[in-house]
Amino acid sequence: MDVRRAAQRYPGGDPATGIESSHAFSFGPHYDPGNLRFGAVIACNEERLAPGAGFDEHPHSHTEIVTWVVEGELTHRDSAGHETVVRHGDVQRLSSAGGVRHVERNDGPLPLTFVQMWLAPLDPGGDPSYDIVRGIADSTPYAVPEAGAMLHVRRLGTGERTAVPDGAYVYVHVVRGDVRVDGEELGPGDSARITDAKDLEVSGITETELLLWEMAG
């Protein structure tokens, strides 16, 4: 298990325009050949947007983009005609495939924080697609078959436990609260990269929310 702390992430964004970013993997100007991906995950970005701030239209291709709102409201618009407001508890996925353009903005009155995870597809190309699940339940994994991956959302109370999915690769990101994973304590923004996960548990030190990616080899 490889633990990466929140403070080790690469800072980014444009604070002067109300955008603050934290990148868990090599990203943009922060090129790190030793930190390019884990399993299918090639980016895990925490984005903080002030009211009125956002990312103007920009392209993506050959990437599965999964977004989890921590607080606030994210307005998404893409070149395939989708326009959605994403809130906490919703899972949004944009399969960029052969190419798509989108806009992400905080059109709400409050600060917005979201975690966006990029996964490499097993086969590049194809037609873009879009999906959103409103208010996903803890017991409902979200499959991204294009990347051979499954997302599990876990919310734990103090002292509660849950199993870490067995898998060749499991990526754990702490959204909020404090947890213990295989003896290691993790806080908000911390992550764990687990290879050949088997019979592991996560326990809540405080009330917590986790995103876990289960990935095939």
Side-chain angles (χ1 to χ4, degrees), residues 25-109:
F25 290 83
S26 178
F27 199 90
H30 300 285
Y31 179 68
D32 180 352
N35 189 23
L36 295 177
R37 67 185 291 171
F38 178 75
V41 179
I42 55 176
C44 182
N45 304 332
E46 184 179 86
E47 307 287 359
R48 297 176 181 268
L49 304 185
F55 299 100
D56 294 332
E57 187 174 84
H58 56 281
H60 288 281
S61 60
H62 314 307
T63 313
E64 300 294 317
I65 303 168
V66 178
T67 303
W68 179 261
V69 170
V70 180
E71 60 183 1
E73 297 182 347
L74 170 65
T75 298
H76 164 96
R77 292 190 296 275
D78 65 43
S79 54
H82 304 103
E83 182 164 350
T84 319
V85 176
V86 189
R87 300 177 178 87
H88 179 247
D90 302 338
V91 173
Q92 175 186 262
R93 178 169 65 95
L94 178 64
S95 180
S96 62
V100 71
R101 302 178 68 84
H102 75 155
V103 175
E104 296 163 300
R105 297 197 56 80
N106 180 6
D107 290 334

Side-chain angles (χ1 to χ4, degrees), residues 14-193:
D14 186 356
T17 63
I19 301 173
E20 295 184 21
S21 305
S22 297
H23 304 293
F25 290 83
S26 178
F27 199 90
H30 300 285
Y31 179 68
D32 180 352
N35 189 23
L36 295 177
R37 67 185 291 171
F38 178 75
V41 179
I42 55 176
C44 182
N45 304 332
E46 184 179 86
E47 307 287 359
R48 297 176 181 268
L49 304 185
F55 299 100
D56 294 332
E57 187 174 84
H58 56 281
H60 288 281
S61 60
H62 314 307
T63 313
E64 300 294 317
I65 303 168
V66 178
T67 303
W68 179 261
V69 170
V70 180
E71 60 183 1
E73 297 182 347
L74 170 65
T75 298
H76 164 96
R77 292 190 296 275
D78 65 43
S79 54
H82 304 103
E83 182 164 350
T84 319
V85 176
V86 189
R87 300 177 178 87
H88 179 247
D90 302 338
V91 173
Q92 175 186 262
R93 178 169 65 95
L94 178 64
S95 180
S96 62
V100 71
R101 302 178 68 84
H102 75 155
V103 175
E104 296 163 300
R105 297 197 56 80
N106 180 6
D107 290 334
L110 301 174
L112 164 66
T113 303
F114 63 94
V115 177
Q116 191 168 88
M117 297 150 289
W118 298 6
L119 285 77
L122 299 173
D123 298 303
D127 296 322
S129 62
Y130 179 82
D131 185 36
I132 185 165
V133 176
R134 300 289 190 186
I136 195 165
D138 278 21
S139 57
T140 307
Y142 182 81
V144 184
E146 293 84 352
M150 189 93 70
L151 175 65
H152 303 264
V153 179
R154 293 285 185 266
R155 305 173 184 93
L156 300 175
T158 302
E160 287 188 342
R161 296 172 175 269
T162 189
V164 174
D166 292 346
Y169 300 99
V170 176
Y171 185 78
V172 182
H173 175 81
V174 182
V175 177
R176 54 166 59 88
D178 299 287
V179 299
R180 186 173 285 106
V181 183
D182 196 28
E184 286 275 1
E185 291 190 10
L186 278 67
D190 290 351
S191 62
R193 307 175 187 191

